[in-house]
Amino acid sequence: MKTIDDLQVAGQRVFVRVDLNVPLDGETITDDGRIRAAVPTINKLLDRGARVIVASHLGRPKGAPDPQYSLAPVARRLGELLGKQVAFATDTVDESAQATVAALSDGEVALLENLRFNAGETSKDDAERGAFADRLATLADLYVGDGFGAVHRKHASVYDLPARLPHAAGELIAAELSVLKKLTEDVKRPYAVVLGGAKVSDKLGVIDHLLEKADRILIGGGMAYTFLKAQGHEVGGSLLQEDQVPAVQDYLRRAKERGVEFVLPVDVTAASEFPDLKTKAPANPQVIAADAIPADLQGLDIGPETRKLYASKLADAATVFWNGPMGVFEHPDFAEGTRAVAQALLDSPAFTVVGGGDSAAAVRILGFDENAFGHISTGGGASLEYLEGKTLPGLAALED
């Protein structure tokens, strides 16, 4: 796979596919981590005299313009981070995009409007997707793939466009791959994995693969209650995927056979209702045993004894991968489990990887120094699929 160091970019129009899919509250960006992650590649190209055309998706518009998903606020923030004006095209391939790109001089940068405003970006029809890629290709001379958070998608700007232009991987993708190889090849042991988040069904593939790789797997978040149910425990009103219980029971059996330690909560912080995440009103949390959650309560975080247990299981690890919060970290009454795992990673001498998505957001929202972790991924879904051993379309497209 070529990198941008292999491209002659001076005076060239370079299409850079990044991942600027940031959370917005109206026009306010609440977490700019993905924008900051895109800056090194853009700056490197600008310093070498390229005319940089930045492109990304944001949210899930229905293949047509939708003001709530406009990248205009992102253009402003990107300009602040780059320290220079970012020209903004109000469409993806039409009059504004063509005029904006034509006006660029060497060392200048433009951002196209949300790629998903065009139905061809995400189409499952190869011809429709290819037609959009053809139009994008007319805007540029070279292609750089740097949107790691989107490389697991077979989308026009990720998969089809690289085939139409000389291409290379950006700084972020190169860094992500370097880290992920440390989790799959010549792993330093003990290798501990912490998995959380809402649904166990989202993690089935990675759990299956990690049973061959990890030494211990710690489970938290909403998915923990399906594991507790699989062990025969009552989970009250907690999130439960009843249809996944047989699969989870099989994983627990296989883990025991292979000597992989599965660590589940011993206590949980629960409440009678899901908390109000807007007002952050007190939710009257209760700490109860994880194997006896009453019918009128739902578990919303791991409890204090589980926090201690998990910290002890991470203290001697040499490699740690964490994906998914331990509870409803957006509410102060249920943030301590996620905070404790983040702190345990910082206290551990291990090489630590935070696997993107909500885990990365939690690190920033809870006030941790991002630079203190070994690596914070920009792609939760992409990281998980890589660890599952899947071929990621956006990476395959960058291969020579």
Side-chain angles (χ1 to χ4, degrees):
M1 186 181 294
K2 290 181 179 178
T3 70
I4 55 177
D5 292 330
D6 298 312
L7 298 178
Q8 298 297 320
V9 302
Q12 300 293 295
R13 300 170 302 163
V14 183
F15 188 104
V16 186
R17 187 16 166 131
V18 294
D19 180 8
L20 304 178
N21 186 27
V22 295
L24 290 173
D25 182 2
E27 292 196 357
T28 301
I29 297 167
T30 57
D31 181 357
D32 68 356
R34 285 179 169 169
I35 306 176
R36 287 184 285 111
V39 165
T41 289
I42 297 170
N43 264 336
K44 191 168 187 176
L45 292 167
L46 293 172
D47 290 346
R48 292 171 57 193
R51 304 178 183 193
V52 177
I53 305 150
V54 180
S56 177
H57 70 285
L58 192 153
R60 296 179 182 273
K62 305 298 184 181
D66 185 336
Q68 68 177 317
Y69 296 117
S70 174
L71 282 168
V74 175
R76 292 190 289 271
R77 180 57 180 148
L78 180 60
E80 292 170 358
L81 292 168
L82 292 172
K84 62 169 57 188
Q85 180 70 31
V86 174
F88 182 61
T90 57
D91 57 41
T92 57
V93 289
D94 295 315
E95 184 177 343
S96 179
Q98 293 169 28
T100 301
V101 170
L104 289 177
S105 297
D106 297 354
E108 292 185 343
V109 57
L111 175 64
L112 304 181
E113 184 54 285
N114 191 338
L115 291 167
R116 291 185 181 175
F117 284 2
N118 190 303
E121 170 67 2
T122 60
S123 176
K124 297 189 184 304
D125 181 82
D126 290 348
E128 184 181 13
R129 214 175 51 246
F132 183 48
D134 286 339
R135 297 189 68 191
L136 289 172
T138 66
L139 299 174
D141 307 302
L142 303 169
Y143 176 92
V144 170
D146 210 35
F148 182 74
V151 294
H152 58 315
R153 305 295 187 193
K154 192 176 182 180
H155 290 170
S157 66
V158 176
Y159 177 75
D160 301 275
L161 185 55
R164 289 156 169 79
L165 295 169
H167 52 264
E171 304 270 282
L172 178 61
I173 279 185
E176 293 275 9
L177 290 179
S178 175
V179 167
L180 288 170
K181 285 178 181 177
K182 293 181 181 179
L183 300 178
T184 55
E185 304 170 12
D186 300 320
V187 181
K188 293 184 178 179
R189 299 184 179 279
Y191 178 17
V193 175
V194 186
L195 295 177
K199 296 181 178 180
V200 69
S201 56
D202 293 339
K203 303 290 197 301
L204 290 177
V206 75
I207 293 172
D208 187 70
H209 200 68
L210 287 169
L211 285 174
E212 309 287 336
K213 302 282 186 181
D215 297 302
R216 62 183 72 120
I217 301 175
L218 287 60
I219 301 293
M223 62 186 287
Y225 303 102
T226 302
F227 276 87
L228 291 168
K229 184 70 172 180
Q231 290 187 325
H233 304 310
E234 293 301 321
V235 298
S238 307
L239 184 64
L240 173 65
Q241 287 187 284
E242 191 86 47
D243 62 325
Q244 299 299 333
V245 167
V248 168
Q249 289 173 329
D250 183 59
Y251 287 143
L252 292 171
R253 177 189 58 77
R254 287 168 54 199
K256 186 174 182 180
E257 290 175 354
R258 296 176 183 277
V260 177
E261 183 182 11
F262 252 102
V263 189
L264 300 180
V266 294
D267 62 349
V268 301
T269 303
S272 58
E273 296 181 352
F274 195 84
D276 189 322
L277 301 184
K278 285 192 175 293
T279 66
K280 305 291 196 296
N284 302 315
Q286 302 177 47
V287 176
I288 53 179
D291 60 358
I293 303 173
D296 61 342
L297 293 179
Q298 55 183 303
L300 297 166
D301 193 14
I302 58 173
E305 292 304 314
T306 304
R307 299 199 292 266
K308 293 177 188 175
L309 172 64
Y310 285 15
S312 72
K313 296 295 183 180
L314 298 174
D316 68 339
T319 304
V320 179
F321 173 71
W322 169 34
N323 180 277
M326 297 293 98
V328 187
F329 71 93
E330 300 92 339
H331 192 284
D333 286 343
F334 308 104
E336 291 309 307
T338 302
R339 188 189 306 279
V341 166
Q343 187 62 53
L345 264 65
L346 293 183
D347 294 341
S348 170
F351 174 65
T352 56
V353 178
V354 180
D358 286 341
S359 310
V363 163
R364 290 187 279 269
I365 290 170
L366 296 176
F368 288 93
D369 178 5
E370 296 175 64
N371 296 320
F373 297 88
H375 180 74
I376 296 182
S377 178
T378 56
S383 295
L384 289 177
E385 290 197 16
Y386 186 95
L387 292 179
E388 287 178 42
K390 290 184 177 179
T391 297
L392 306 188
L395 296 183
L398 295 176
E399 295 290 349
D400 297 330

